[in-house]
């Protein structure tokens, strides 16, 4: 069947082309190497993230047994960013890359992963994410705290020790800026929270909902750009993770776990993704209509097939999706519930 349409992405304010009939076209390009099997030990002597090991600049990691946070040894933004920059010519502008970059290890176990943490352990991680957001966001030079995990070699991660990164920057990252302004505009025009309207549309349709409990939901959005793209969100509007109550955090941790386990079950392999926390910027703007959520952008559309960004995406700036979000959500829903 030919499934061909354009879908509006209300958060990014752009069109996504859905051309699902292209998914099975003949393909002779690169295939992705099979992920390393899970026979990795819990401790690796030369891993810079394992407890007690020495990192690149000679700092020794704590002998931690839960979550471990440290300043990135190779920061892209930092308090010591050079300030004596060469002035560019003409119309060009520059400024120091002020901010802070940190790393959060989820677990002392090298061979673990976010999907393998228990719900209480994920709640601890949510608390750590909140605390980092609050602490870093309070710094006068920090206008935004971006927390993300890159998982898998296909997104450039060679160290499989479970961890994420934080970039606390003096500017607001583009996607968040667009989402925040879309939310503000939608609220001015309709009096509604944009993300609540998205949640109502998703829940009334139901086909793209992967998991839902009393206060959280995981779904493949109608306008998904990647085949297995998923959002995890609290049902109530909170601009930041730190505003979630204890019981909302437990529900949210469960929804995350349910999704992550389905990802890993889908092809019986550690499922690669880029995970990003989308919470309100910390620049004193008006974010009353901003709805905290986590986005997953998995790069694969089949076990060994990358979604390559090419002409439409890189050249034109709009996504062409080769799959139907409804079908991908169904695959995830059916890929088994919780393990462990
Ligand atoms: Zn390690
Ligand atoms: Zn978002």
């Amino acid at each position: 069947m030919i499934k061909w349409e354009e879908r509006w992405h209300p958060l990014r304010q752009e069109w996504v082309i859905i051309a699902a009939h292209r998914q099975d076209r003949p393909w002779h390009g690169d295939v992705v190497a099979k992920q390393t099997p899970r026979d990795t030990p819990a401790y690796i002597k030369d891993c810079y993230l394992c407890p007690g090991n020495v990192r690149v600049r000679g700092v020794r990691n704590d002998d931690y047994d839960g979550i471990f946070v440290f300043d990135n040894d190779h920061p892209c933004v930092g308090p010591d960013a050079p300030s004596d920059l060469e002035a560019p010519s003409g119309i060009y502008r520059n400024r120091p890359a002020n901010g802070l970059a940190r790393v959060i290890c989820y677990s002392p176990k090298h061979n673990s992963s976010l999907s393998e943490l228990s719900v209480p352990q994920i709640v601890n991680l949510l608390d750590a994410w909140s605390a980092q957001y609050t602490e870093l966001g309070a710094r006068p030079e920090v206008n935004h705290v971006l927390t993300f995990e890159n998982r898998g070699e296909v997104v450039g991660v060679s160290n499989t020790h479970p961890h994420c990164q934080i970039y606390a920057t003096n500017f607001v990252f583009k996607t968040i800026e667009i989402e925040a302004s879309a939310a503000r505009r939608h609220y001015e025009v309709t009096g509604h929270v944009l993300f609540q309207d998205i949640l109502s549309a998703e829940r009334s349709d139901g086909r793209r909902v992967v998991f839902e409990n009393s206060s959280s939901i995981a779904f493949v959005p109608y306008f998904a750009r990647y085949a297995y793209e998923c959002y995890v969100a609290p049902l109530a509007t909170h601009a930041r993770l730190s505003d979630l109550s204890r019981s909302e955090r437990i529900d949210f941790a469960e929804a995350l776990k349910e999704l992550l386990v389905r990802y890993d079950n889908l092809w019986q392999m550690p499922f690669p993704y880029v995970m990003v926390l989308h919470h309100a910027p910390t620049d004193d703007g008006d974010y009353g209509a901003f709805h905290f959520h986590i986005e997953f952008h998995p790069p694969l559309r089949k076990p060994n097939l990358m979604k390559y960004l090419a002409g439409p995406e890189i050249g034109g700036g709009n996504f062409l999706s080769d799959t139907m979000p409804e079908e991908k959500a169904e695959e995830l829903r059916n890929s088994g519930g919780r393990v462990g």
Side-chain angles (χ1 to χ4, degrees), residues 11 179 278 293 295:
L11 291 169
E179 285 191 10
H278 279 188
H293 56 283
E295 298 187 2

Side-chain angles (χ1 to χ4, degrees), residues 24-290:
D24 294 313
R25 69 191 189 279
W27 179 261
H28 304 288
D30 284 351
V31 292
V32 175
K34 200 96 179 118
Q35 305 280 308
T36 37
R38 319 226 70 201
D39 53 4
T40 321
Y43 170 79
I44 303 262
K45 211 169 66 192
D46 58 359
C47 167
Y48 65 98
L49 299 174
C50 276
N53 288 356
V54 176
R55 299 202 307 272
V56 60
R57 286 185 180 168
V59 185
R60 185 177 290 278
N61 290 336
D62 292 354
D63 212 359
Y64 66 98
D65 62 3
I67 286 163
F68 176 55
V69 185
F70 66 90
D71 287 339
N72 196 319
D73 298 307
H74 300 287
C76 63
V77 287
D80 308 323
S83 56
D84 54 339
L85 302 172
E86 188 189 335
S89 52
I91 194 176
Y92 299 139
R93 292 195 293 164
N94 62 357
R95 61 179 184 178
N98 281 328
L100 250 136
R102 286 186 173 159
V103 176
I104 303 185
C105 296
Y106 300 155
S107 160
K109 284 194 192 156
H110 188 92
N111 56 2
S112 187
S113 68
L114 186 50
S115 59
E116 286 174 84
L117 299 188
S118 66
V119 168
Q121 285 173 320
I122 298 177
V123 171
N124 289 342
L125 179 62
L126 299 181
D127 292 346
W129 282 341
S130 294
Q132 289 298 317
Y133 170 86
T134 306
E135 181 201 323
L136 295 170
R139 296 172 70 106
E141 77 277 23
V142 170
N143 288 324
H144 184 250
V145 179
L146 188 80
T147 305
F148 62 95
E149 178 189 349
N150 300 327
R151 187 192 196 204
E153 277 177 40
V154 293
V155 293
V157 181
S158 48
N159 189 336
T160 58
H161 195 115
H163 70 287
C164 69
Q165 300 188 61
I166 301 177
Y167 289 176
T169 52
N170 56 357
F171 67 92
V172 180
F173 271 84
K174 192 73 191 169
T175 302
I176 310 294
E177 188 180 86
I178 295 170
E179 285 191 10
S181 91
R184 204 177 296 121
R185 218 164 36 246
H186 188 80
Y187 192 77
E188 280 163 13
V189 174
T190 66
H192 295 180
V193 170
L194 175 56
F195 208 92
Q196 284 296 347
D197 285 352
I198 291 174
L199 290 182
S200 332
E202 291 298 342
R203 295 172 85 198
S204 74
D205 183 303
R207 284 176 297 166
R208 292 172 303 273
V209 175
V210 175
F211 176 79
E212 184 173 348
N213 58 25
S214 58
S215 71
S216 277
I217 187 168
F219 62 96
V220 176
Y222 171 75
F223 46 80
R225 299 183 305 157
Y226 291 90
Y228 295 94
E229 182 171 330
C230 254
Y231 287 13
V232 180
L235 293 174
T237 295
H238 299 294
R240 40 197 81 78
L241 175 58
S242 46
D243 296 339
L244 270 69
S245 71
R246 183 71 9 204
S247 72
E248 284 180 308
R249 287 186 199 202
I250 294 168
D251 281 351
F252 192 86
E254 184 191 35
L256 264 180
K257 167 109 185 156
E258 290 284 344
L259 173 65
L260 289 161
V261 166
R262 281 172 168 82
Y263 271 159
D264 285 358
N265 278 346
L266 187 65
W267 299 323
Q268 299 292 311
M269 63 181 246
F271 195 77
Y273 57 69
V274 172
M275 174 189 81
V276 195
L277 275 65
H278 279 188
H279 32 202
T282 56
D283 62 356
D284 300 326
D286 171 18
Y287 299 109
F290 194 91

